[in-house]
Amino acid sequence: MIALAVLLFINAAFNVIVWPQFYKRVVRDPRARDAAGNATAFLKVHAVLIAFALVLALVSVIAGIAALVGVL
């Protein structure tokens, strides 16, 4: 179970470190906004994907803690 918890914590750390940095690049991308300054589908889709990755990080932390305390 310790190996599972470590794997889950590594997954969570990766998601929390990588995806917010990627979001910063997406927001600065010229494809993120149209001529009127409104968010494009490019920005919206990436925002949803990044939000999903961060939720997955939270779930991974919770599952990792559960693995450590023996709930799993």
Side-chain angles (χ1 to χ4, degrees):
M1 282 299 164
I2 292 175
L4 173 63
V6 169
L7 181 64
L8 289 166
F9 291 140
I10 290 171
N11 175 60
F14 175 84
N15 284 335
V16 169
I17 292 168
V18 170
W19 293 114
Q21 298 302 317
F22 181 69
Y23 182 72
K24 290 178 185 177
R25 290 196 327 241
V26 168
V27 168
R28 288 191 303 256
D29 193 295
R31 297 171 288 178
R33 302 273 175 192
D34 61 15
N38 298 321
T40 61
F42 174 83
L43 178 59
K44 292 175 185 176
V45 166
H46 281 87
V48 168
L49 292 173
I50 293 165
F52 181 75
L54 294 175
V55 169
L56 181 61
L58 177 62
V59 170
S60 293
V61 167
I62 292 169
I65 292 170
L68 283 179
V69 298
V71 175
L72 294 180

